[in-house]
Amino acid sequence: MASFLDSFFSMLGVDFRWRILVEYAPLFLDGIKMTLMVTLIGVVCGTVLGLLSGMARLGEVKHGPWKYPVKYLLRLPASAYVTFFRGTPLFVQILLIHFALMPMLIHPTDGLLFTGDTARHIKQEYGAFLSGIVALSLNAGAYISEIFRAGIQSLDKGQTEASRSLGMNYLQTMYHVVVPQAFRRMLPPLGNEAIMLLKDSSLISAIGLAELAYAARTVAGAYSRYWEPYLAISFIYLIMTLLMSAFVSHLEKRYGKGDSR
């Protein structure tokens, strides 16, 4: 493989220096760990947010005292959240959360959540990590909300009506009947969203989180070389996305059997 790439780059007139990648291998390994960690946390938190906001958007009470509270306290806020995070670039959301929202919540003098030495410690040690996690989770939650909404609406309403006639309330119907069936249909788009999140996590390097793209930028800055670091992380991202695609395909085959009957 190395000799093939050497020949390929020689044809292009590029002196590919493998020793740069070897020298910075620990940095790339740490970048892989951080990329996988923020992606995993973003997918898990985004799935929870997506489920809650998706159910909130579907909530509707036609009559009675809960009609307006459900509309103005659940449906409209959930719709506004989904509209904002699907309609604005993730890069802008990352910058907004890191430079505007986080200083408002965590600040040594007037933070709404943390102040004093605690705020200073959190900001210095985990500032970029928290901002990245929050941005990825909120962005993923908005897209997953639509996936849940579409998956739930794709089921026959008769199943919901049958569950309610058996005495189940709304939450019991969702938990025991609707969501398990809709989950099979949600797997392909959920897998695509996880893969998109893995690739989009590279944007967090803009706020200084040491993930893969940050590692490549560090190496490029040290040697003023761009082929080696950016081609290396391209292959790493490609391998990770292919592995995730294979895992999602396995889940589809395993949990999609019920729909093929």
Side-chain angles (χ1 to χ4, degrees):
M1 185 66 179
S3 59
F4 170 76
L5 289 176
D6 284 339
S7 303
F8 176 74
F9 284 109
S10 297
M11 290 173 59
L12 297 176
V14 176
D15 177 23
F16 197 89
R17 302 177 185 176
W18 291 97
R19 66 175 181 79
I20 295 177
L21 300 181
V22 174
E23 180 182 350
Y24 281 92
L27 186 62
F28 285 109
L29 289 176
D30 290 339
I32 292 173
K33 294 176 185 176
M34 181 58 72
T35 297
L36 292 176
M37 184 187 300
V38 296
T39 301
L40 179 62
I41 297 175
V43 169
V44 172
C45 295
T47 301
V48 175
L49 283 173
L51 175 61
L52 295 177
S53 58
M55 292 177 67
R57 295 190 73 191
L58 290 172
E60 183 179 10
V61 177
K62 295 182 179 179
H63 307 287
W66 288 102
K67 178 180 178 180
Y68 292 107
V70 168
K71 179 179 180 181
Y72 292 109
L73 298 179
L74 289 179
R75 282 172 52 196
L76 290 182
S79 298
Y81 156 65
V82 172
T83 301
F84 177 80
F85 280 93
R86 291 183 72 224
T88 55
L90 175 57
F91 183 67
V92 176
Q93 295 164 17
I94 292 171
L95 298 180
L96 187 65
I97 289 171
H98 184 64
F99 293 110
L101 179 63
M102 282 301 171
M104 185 174 71
L105 300 176
I106 304 171
H107 195 276
T109 57
D110 54 358
L112 296 178
L113 293 180
F114 296 99
T115 58
D117 292 337
T118 303
R120 196 172 292 108
H121 175 74
I122 292 175
K123 192 173 181 180
Q124 290 176 351
E125 299 295 329
Y126 308 105
F129 179 75
L130 289 176
S131 299
I133 291 297
V134 171
L136 289 181
S137 299
L138 289 173
N139 183 271
Y143 284 93
I144 293 175
S145 172
E146 288 297 274
I147 295 173
F148 272 110
R149 189 171 68 88
I152 291 172
Q153 287 181 328
S154 69
L155 294 179
D156 188 351
K157 288 185 178 179
Q159 298 198 33
T160 302
E161 294 170 356
S163 303
R164 300 301 294 271
S165 68
L166 291 175
M168 295 184 183
N169 58 31
Y170 178 76
L171 291 178
Q172 288 173 330
T173 300
M174 284 291 172
Y175 181 77
H176 292 291
V177 179
V178 176
V179 172
Q181 294 185 74
F183 181 71
R184 297 193 190 103
R185 304 181 183 184
M186 296 174 194
L187 270 175
L190 282 175
N192 290 334
E193 177 59 29
I195 292 171
M196 288 297 297
L197 201 65
L198 173 69
K199 293 187 288 186
D200 288 344
S201 66
S202 62
L203 296 173
I204 301 177
S205 65
I207 57 175
L209 187 65
E211 44 74 66
L212 261 180
Y214 184 87
R217 196 171 65 186
T218 302
V219 176
Y223 281 92
S224 295
R225 301 279 302 181
Y226 301 95
W227 274 106
E228 293 84 355
Y230 288 112
L231 199 58
I233 67 167
S234 297
F235 276 110
I236 293 172
Y237 276 117
L238 179 62
I239 291 170
M240 289 194 294
T241 54
L242 289 176
L243 290 175
M244 287 184 69
S245 298
F247 179 66
V248 173
S249 298
H250 171 72
L251 291 180
E252 287 179 33
K253 291 177 182 175
R254 180 172 181 179
Y255 294 104
K257 292 178 180 177
D259 286 346
S260 61
R261 291 174 185 170

